[in-house]
């Protein structure tokens, strides 16, 4: 097996750190080539030093200086590249074989698209890229012969349960014999919270996920179930599946990561600990299985697995996501951009938790007036994303 040279975009985040943990277990087959981060330059310097990265990417000159200040005296410096464009150049580096796309939000889109155009093996954690630009991204994968491997635990589970043929690239129709995809969702921290209490939810309460340790944005998305909405869109693009054949099932234990239902009545499920190192190791090792550091799961101690239908009064954002997917790409871009703006405001203490759904809904109404806006290129998509962000900001009243 040839050595894989890995570029990790967003290495200081939750997925980035788990990726480095798996990578360090396999020095004979996986090597760090490039690391990038947007903040926490001390953490980036520590990672780059420990894993002997050849290149690091930082957002601006001030961050470059903080990186240099944190670098251990006397150690050989990596090359330091600055700015968003450097992310796109890094993924096209001929030495890089594998790109872990673990930037959070639509900010990760240009670099994911560049990796697809460069024909790399892409481990896709950054679901927002696929939500905003599914058609463009899948076309780029098809044309370049890139390998797109899902890292999101649900999509990785589905990938493992599908028939092996033809799923690594960009399928143009659902796999033969498959009736439906069943996406599991934990229901987050507020599955049983009385609805009247949701108005006063704080950022720390929303980020306290019962089963998973994740970045703050995706933790809020899990609480509102925006995350599951984004994942329905992600599944639609990854597996060429119409939205009426994707079902969301609440499963509070987060042990069954998702399922594939076949025409003959079989349902195949993938199970495991709620630890992202399992799907990350699956992507890094594919098609072989490699050690991930995840401990054993003892089924007899688990006792029971529960499944229930989602309550759309409790989770209005999930209903909005299905509406957006039915409406098309303009609405999916609006759904994602509105949510990113609303969640950032909520995390900054400037928007009520229950207003997140209101901001998304207002943007979905507003985007109806933008449907003549072309979406052929990355620039078209980023322009609509930007317009929606400005509109969303105008709907985020702090006292609403
Ligand atoms: P995180 O907030 O912990 O980390 C995000 C990383 O991206 C950091 O390294 C940060 O420096 C970098 N970053 C942030 N903004 C950036 C910008 N504008 N430009 C460049 N880099 C930027 O997030 P996370 O939880 O690791 O999630 C990363 C992605 O993976 C998200 O798209 C999320 O939906 C997806 N995902 C995460 C999990 C999980 O368990 N954490 C599971 C499934 C999918
Ligand atoms: Mg997920």
């Amino acid at each position: 097996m040839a050595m894989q040279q890995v570029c990790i975009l967003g290495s200081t985040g939750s997925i980035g750190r788990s990726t480095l943990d798996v990578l360090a277990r396999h020095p004979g087959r996986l090597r760090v080539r490039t690391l990038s981060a947007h903040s926490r330059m001390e953490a980036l310097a520590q990672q780059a030093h420990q894993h002997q990265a050849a290149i690091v990417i930082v957002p601006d000159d001030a961050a470059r200086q903080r990186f240099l200040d944190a670098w251990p005296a006397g150690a050989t410096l990596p090359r330091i590249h600055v700015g968003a464009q450097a992310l796109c150049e890094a993924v096209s580096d001929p030495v890089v074989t594998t790109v872990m796309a673990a930037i959070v939000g639509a900010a990760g889109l240009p670099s994911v698209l560049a990796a697809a155009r460069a024909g790399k093996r892409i481990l896709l954690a950054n679901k927002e890229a696929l939500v905003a630009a599914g058609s463009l991204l899948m076309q780029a994968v098809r044309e370049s012969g890139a390998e797109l491997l899902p890292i999101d635990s649900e999509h990785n589970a589905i990938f493992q349960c599908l028939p092996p043929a033809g799923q690594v690239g960009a399928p143009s129709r659902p796999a033969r014999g498959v009736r439906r995809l069943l996406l599991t969702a934990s229901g987050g921290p507020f599955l049983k919270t009385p609805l009247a209490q949701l108005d006063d939810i704080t950022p720390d309460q929303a980020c306290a996920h019962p089963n998973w340790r994740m970045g703050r944005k995706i933790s809020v998305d899990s609480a509102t179930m925006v995350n599951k909405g984004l994942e329905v869109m992600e599944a639609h693009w990854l597996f060429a599946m119409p939205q009426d054949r994707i079902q969301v099932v609440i499963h509070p234990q987060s042990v069954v990561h998702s399922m594939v239902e076949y025409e003959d009545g079989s349902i195949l499920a993938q199970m495991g600990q709620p630890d992202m190192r399992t799907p990350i190791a699956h992507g890094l090792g594919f098609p072989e299985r490699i050690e991930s550091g995840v401990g054993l799961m003892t089924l007899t101690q688990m006792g029971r697995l529960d499944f229930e239908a989602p309550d759309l009064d409790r989770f209005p954002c999930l209903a909005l996501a299905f509406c957006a997917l039915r409406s098309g790409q303009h609405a999916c871009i609006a759904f994602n951009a509105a949510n990113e703006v609303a969640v950032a405001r909520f995390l900054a203490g400037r928007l009520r938790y229950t207003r997140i759904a209101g901001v998304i809904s207002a943007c979905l109404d507003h985007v109806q007036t933008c449907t003549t806006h072309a979406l052929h290129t990355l620039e078209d998509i980023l322009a609509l994303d930007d317009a929606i962000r400005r509109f969303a900001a105008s709907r985020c009243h702090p006292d609403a």
Side-chain angles (χ1 to χ4, degrees), residues 127 152-155 184 212 214 218 227-228 231 234 276:
K127 65 193 88 184
D152 211 347
S153 57
E154 296 76 3
H155 306 75
T184 53
W212 297 92
M214 309 180 285
I218 186 178
N227 184 50
K228 211 49 53 180
E231 289 182 358
E234 187 185 8
M276 289 305 292

Side-chain angles (χ1 to χ4, degrees), residues 184-189 191 209-212 222 228 249-254:
T184 53
S186 68
L191 183 59
H209 196 280
N211 306 334
W212 297 92
S222 298
K228 211 49 53 180
V249 182
I250 300 273
H251 167 48
Q253 291 92 352
S254 298

Side-chain angles (χ1 to χ4, degrees), residues 2 10 27 40 45-46 61 63 71 75 154 160 177 208 229 235 240 253-254 284 309 311:
R40 303 184 57 226
Q46 191 273 328
D61 288 331
W71 190 254
E154 296 76 3
Q160 293 193 45
Q253 291 92 352
S254 298
L284 286 172
D311 170 358

Side-chain angles (χ1 to χ4, degrees), residues 9-18 36-41 59 84 87 101-105 107-108 124-129 151-154 212-219 221 227 230-231 234 276:
L9 302 182
S11 66
T12 53
S14 164
I15 293 288
R17 293 193 308 273
S18 294
S36 92
H38 201 62
S39 55
R40 303 184 57 226
M41 290 300 121
L87 297 169
I103 289 175
V104 59
L124 186 72
N126 178 219
K127 65 193 88 184
E128 297 92 341
I151 296 302
D152 211 347
S153 57
E154 296 76 3
W212 297 92
R213 294 285 153 267
M214 309 180 285
R216 285 172 80 76
K217 188 259 180 187
I218 186 178
S219 296
D221 290 353
N227 184 50
L230 296 172
E231 289 182 358
E234 187 185 8
M276 289 305 292

Side-chain angles (χ1 to χ4, degrees), residues 190 359 378:
F190 310 130
V359 172
L378 175 63

Side-chain angles (χ1 to χ4, degrees), residues 18-275:
S18 294
T19 305
L20 285 170
D21 182 282
V22 176
L23 218 130
R25 295 166 192 277
H26 303 280
R29 70 188 290 159
L30 300 166
R31 182 171 299 158
V32 172
R33 167 77 175 170
T34 315
L35 299 176
S36 92
H38 201 62
S39 55
R40 303 184 57 226
M41 290 300 121
E42 303 69 26
L44 181 65
Q46 191 273 328
Q47 291 179 335
H49 183 246
Q50 181 185 343
H51 295 273
Q52 298 178 359
I55 301 167
V56 296
I57 302 165
V58 303
D60 50 34
D61 288 331
R64 183 178 189 279
Q65 191 54 52
R66 289 204 305 282
F67 180 89
L68 288 172
D69 292 345
W71 190 254
T76 309
L77 265 172
R79 273 183 276 152
I80 308 174
H81 294 181
V82 178
Q85 184 54 33
L87 297 169
C88 296
E89 286 156 14
V91 298
S92 318
D93 173 352
V95 175
V96 166
T97 57
T98 307
V99 175
M100 166 54 85
I103 289 175
V104 59
L109 169 57
S111 51
V112 174
L113 188 61
R117 288 181 173 152
K120 303 295 183 183
R121 166 174 285 198
I122 304 167
L123 310 188
L124 186 72
N126 178 219
K127 65 193 88 184
E128 297 92 341
L130 205 48
V131 166
S135 159
L136 196 65
L137 193 52
M138 295 312 267
Q139 188 191 340
V141 168
R142 239 169 255 136
E143 286 172 2
S144 71
E147 281 185 305
L148 189 59
L149 295 168
I151 296 302
D152 211 347
S153 57
E154 296 76 3
H155 306 75
N156 183 268
I158 289 168
F159 182 79
Q160 293 193 45
C161 295
L162 282 171
Q167 293 297 331
V168 183
S172 48
R173 61 179 70 87
R176 277 168 64 106
V178 170
R179 192 188 285 159
R180 288 188 308 171
L181 305 180
L182 308 178
L183 281 183
T184 53
S186 68
F190 310 130
L191 183 59
K192 303 290 176 202
T193 308
L195 292 181
Q197 289 177 17
L198 293 182
D199 250 359
D200 300 320
I201 292 300
T202 65
D204 284 346
Q205 287 173 315
C207 289
H209 196 280
N211 306 334
W212 297 92
R213 294 285 153 267
M214 309 180 285
R216 285 172 80 76
K217 188 259 180 187
I218 186 178
S219 296
V220 177
D221 290 353
S222 298
T224 57
M225 281 190 82
V226 160
N227 184 50
K228 211 49 53 180
L230 296 172
E231 289 182 358
V232 171
M233 299 173 193
E234 187 185 8
H236 165 75
W237 287 110
L238 279 174
F239 307 116
M241 189 59 76
Q243 60 102 15
D244 59 346
R245 289 168 61 189
I246 304 173
Q247 192 187 12
V248 173
V249 182
I250 300 273
H251 167 48
Q253 291 92 352
S254 298
V255 165
V256 173
H257 296 310
S258 277
M259 297 169 264
V260 175
E261 182 182 270
Y262 284 86
E263 293 295 351
D264 62 5
S266 300
I267 294 180
L268 300 193
Q270 186 264 356
M271 299 197 287
Q273 303 265 24
D275 187 325

